[in-house]
Amino acid sequence: EFFDSGVGLDFYIKSRYSGKHIKFREEIQGFLCKSEKYWQRYKANGPREKFDLLIGLDQYDDKDFSIQEIMELINICNGLSEKYNSDSIDDQKVRYFSKKLKELCEEALQGNNLVEAIGD
């Protein structure tokens, strides 16, 4: 599967390793950072935008998400799926990743677990 390998962050359900994960590939993060003008806003200390919790993650660091942040990730996934809705390959990759991350987040919440992202 496209999102099982490569360079990027791996999202897991914390404290219940089942092997199920979704990779936030570096190329998708780069595409979103460029599309959302993340780096220009970051350098200018601009206001935080709605996708920044996800696209602003450090590819080489780890992050534990709180319940509130998991709910925010679900909203981000919904927003990305709505915004990137063309037939372009990049938009299709964003939608696929968003769908899989949303499923992982919902499963974590149902099991009263947290989500963690582990960088390369």
Side-chain angles (χ1 to χ4, degrees):
E1 201 169 293
F2 179 78
F3 288 93
D4 285 342
S5 63
V7 177
L9 287 155
D10 290 296
F11 284 84
Y12 292 94
I13 297 174
K14 190 170 172 112
S15 75
R16 189 185 68 134
Y17 183 74
S18 65
K20 183 178 180 183
H21 74 282
I22 182 73
K23 183 169 286 286
F24 186 32
R25 291 185 52 133
E26 191 174 71
E27 71 176 271
I28 300 298
Q29 186 179 22
F31 168 75
L32 288 171
C33 283
K34 183 178 178 184
S35 297
E36 297 296 320
K37 298 178 177 45
Y38 175 78
W39 292 116
Q40 291 140 333
R41 286 186 290 104
Y42 178 79
K43 289 177 185 175
N45 290 320
R48 187 169 178 255
E49 298 286 332
K50 67 179 182 176
F51 302 140
D52 287 359
L53 175 65
L54 177 65
I55 65 176
L57 290 171
D58 183 341
Q59 288 282 339
Y60 304 102
D61 202 1
D62 299 342
K63 165 86 172 129
D64 291 336
F65 294 89
S66 67
I67 297 294
Q68 182 178 350
E69 288 173 323
I70 295 170
M71 291 187 292
E72 186 177 344
L73 284 174
I74 290 170
N75 288 332
I76 287 169
C77 290
N78 290 334
L80 289 172
S81 292
E82 289 174 19
K83 183 172 183 175
Y84 293 90
N85 61 5
S86 80
D87 288 335
S88 77
I89 190 69
D90 289 326
D91 281 14
Q92 290 177 39
K93 289 176 183 178
V94 168
R95 285 195 312 274
Y96 180 82
F97 167 76
S98 297
K99 177 183 178 229
K100 293 299 185 181
L101 179 59
K102 180 181 176 182
E103 289 171 0
L104 185 108
C105 289
E106 288 172 340
E107 184 178 328
L109 289 176
Q110 287 175 353
N112 203 28
N113 292 300
L114 299 179
V115 170
E116 66 182 333
I118 300 173
D120 288 335

